[in-house]
Amino acid sequence: MFRLLALMIMALSLGTAHAGANVVSEEVTYTDNGFEMRGYLAYDAAVDGPRPGVLVIHEWWGHNEHARAQARRLAALGYTALAVDMYGEGRLADHPDDARAFATLVRSNMQLMTKRFDAARKFLEAHERTDAGQTAAIGYCFGGSVVLEMARAGEDLAAVASFHGALATQNPAQEGQVNARVLVLHGNEDPMVPAEQVENFKQEMEAAGVDYHFVGYDGATHSFTNPQADEKARQFGMPVGYHAEADQASWEELERFLAETFGG
């Protein structure tokens, strides 16, 4: 009964988008040891006082409109959201080879990944609209793998959520090390994240005692939340595709997850 009441109260303030939402968004810059990072901040100006902050980590294409759109959606729910730049200088890839190179540079260097994530987090938590004690991170594809790695590393986050992200790791979670609640939203037809990888991830989380929730969507493949995925599939012959039902269902799952995390 208490949990239901808490969720109902949270829905009024952070749940479905406010009727009076006044989303403000702006391009911002922050630095990682002097290296310029170009982010995108969004919040609801109609909400008084600091709110929980959410970092949004982009797909392997880079800091694009997809990440920015998710930041605005989070702002409409009452959060302060920062679409992060993990590549630096707002780099974007037009071809999978470039995207793979950008993503590999970060994924293969845990120190670099952590520094860039922490630079974004520091910027978000210092903002007047953010409650620095309440921070979550969500990520898409490449970004999903990043937020999971940050959780495994013991970052002081309330929650992380991965949308169609890779689940394999060279740094498996250790018991007592993961502070964040973990949500994984996965396309069951995703050839880039096969069933064996899913099963290994679940075993990893359970062995480490992580508070995690895994949801798989039948019929959904890689990049199922991005409306531009079908175009990329045609252009480059990639096994990706948009799935409207999984996109909507996964977003609703995220809404519930964040409300439970910050409203209980």
Side-chain angles (χ1 to χ4, degrees), residues 4 39 62 175 229 237:
L4 177 59
E175 187 172 6

Side-chain angles (χ1 to χ4, degrees), residues 29-133:
T29 59
Y30 55 98
T31 59
D32 169 25
N33 287 342
F35 191 54
E36 185 177 89
M37 320 300 287
R38 300 175 185 171
Y40 180 84
L41 186 76
Y43 58 88
D44 183 359
V47 176
D48 293 329
R51 307 297 289 164
V54 184
L55 298 162
V56 181
I57 316 298
H58 53 74
E59 299 176 294
W60 75 336
W61 301 107
H63 177 99
N64 57 11
E65 176 56 28
H66 178 261
R68 293 182 172 206
Q70 309 317 305
R72 291 192 296 270
R73 293 174 78 182
L74 286 163
L77 297 176
Y79 302 102
T80 301
L82 176 67
V84 174
D85 175 11
M86 290 296 290
Y87 296 161
E89 298 178 338
R91 287 187 177 93
L92 285 169
D94 294 324
H95 191 280
D97 289 347
D98 296 326
R100 184 177 297 107
F102 289 159
T104 300
L105 177 66
V106 177
R107 286 280 291 134
S108 64
N109 187 334
M110 188 67 178
Q111 183 178 14
L112 176 63
M113 180 192 297
T114 303
K115 285 172 57 183
R116 291 190 174 174
F117 182 89
D118 285 344
R121 177 181 170 179
K122 181 179 179 180
F123 178 87
L124 176 63
E125 292 184 342
H127 195 273
E128 63 181 2
R129 293 277 179 170
T130 306
D131 181 346

Side-chain angles (χ1 to χ4, degrees), residues 148 152 162 166-169 182-184 195-207 210 212-214:
L148 290 176
R152 290 177 172 114
S162 168
L167 305 177
T169 183
V182 174
L183 173 65
V184 171
E196 181 181 4
Q197 192 176 129
V198 170
E199 185 57 33
N200 289 342
F201 173 78
K202 291 179 178 179
Q203 291 178 9
E204 174 198 354
M205 294 292 105
E206 290 165 9
V210 177
Y212 85 103
H213 183 50
F214 185 97

